[in-house]
Amino acid sequence: MLTFAAAVFFLIITPGPGVLSAAGVGAAYGMRPGLRYVLGLFIGNNLVILAVISGLAALVLATPWLRTALFVASTAYLLYLALRIAFAGSNLAFSPATSEPGVMAGILLQPINPKAYAVNTALFSGFAIFPDALVAEVIWKLIIVNAIWLPIHVLWVWFGGLLKELNLPPHQQRRVNFAMAGSMLLVVGLAIVSAM
């Protein structure tokens, strides 16, 4: 179980769309909106886990056109989130944000987040804990994954919220927002390169 827990920690802590967007929402909008967003990510991640466990994810990802459609949707959504974070509180926004990303934004990200599928597939198809008791293994893995997943994402929001609470001058806050958005765009770029 310790090996599994270590794998969960290292696979989740590494920057991906979920943790970067959590930090970005925290930095751009503050801790409370960030926590609402993380609640959505949490629900969405568990939906991805259910898709992985049930085999639905394997069926969907085995269909080339559907896999491509999900990739395009995830790329577009991550670009949208990056732009919302980059231009939060700015007069430069292409469409001023009337509300911060909330629970639904987090839920919508996870089913189209390629890292969520990769991580959960690796975790739930490998690392046999109870090879003769599949139900017990799935339950324990769910408990361990969620017990590690939630604090890591809250920590990333806290980090972003801490940046927001520093009450930086507007030009410095814009730099923070751009850096967070740039990190998300880097992940998008890496995903595009790896898909080629």
Side-chain angles (χ1 to χ4, degrees):
M1 258 193 247
L2 290 176
T3 303
F4 177 74
V8 170
F9 177 80
F10 287 112
L11 286 170
I12 293 173
I13 196 97
T14 56
V19 294
L20 287 174
S21 63
V25 170
Y29 299 99
M31 187 71 175
R32 187 173 300 221
L35 289 175
R36 283 193 298 270
Y37 180 72
V38 165
L39 174 60
L41 288 176
F42 180 77
I43 294 167
N45 192 58
N46 280 284
L47 292 172
V48 170
I49 289 171
L50 289 175
V52 167
I53 292 169
S54 69
L56 179 62
L59 289 173
V60 168
L61 296 175
T63 309
W65 70 267
L66 194 50
R67 188 175 59 242
T68 301
L70 285 173
F71 179 75
V72 169
S74 69
T75 300
Y77 191 66
L78 287 171
L79 289 172
Y80 166 76
L81 280 177
L83 288 172
R84 292 248 346 238
I85 289 166
F87 294 116
S90 169
N91 293 332
L92 301 174
F94 59 94
S95 87
T98 55
S99 65
E100 57 272 326
V103 175
M104 189 53 69
I107 291 172
L108 291 175
L109 174 63
Q110 292 297 64
I112 59 173
N113 176 355
K115 184 183 176 200
Y117 288 97
V119 166
N120 288 312
T121 299
L123 293 173
F124 283 87
S125 65
F127 302 97
I129 297 174
F130 303 112
D132 298 328
L134 181 61
V135 173
E137 180 166 325
V138 168
I139 290 170
W140 273 105
K141 283 183 175 182
L142 277 168
I143 291 168
I144 294 167
V145 166
N146 285 312
I148 294 171
W149 188 99
L150 193 57
I152 286 173
H153 283 73
V154 169
L155 184 66
W156 278 93
V157 167
W158 174 80
F159 172 72
L162 187 63
L163 289 172
K164 176 78 173 163
E165 288 177 13
L166 289 175
N167 220 4
L168 300 171
H171 71 281
Q172 288 180 339
Q173 183 62 46
R174 268 193 304 279
R175 286 184 189 149
V176 168
N177 291 353
F178 285 148
M180 293 292 179
S183 298
M184 288 180 63
L185 292 175
L186 179 64
V187 168
V188 170
L190 291 173
I192 291 169
V193 168
S194 71
M196 293 179 166

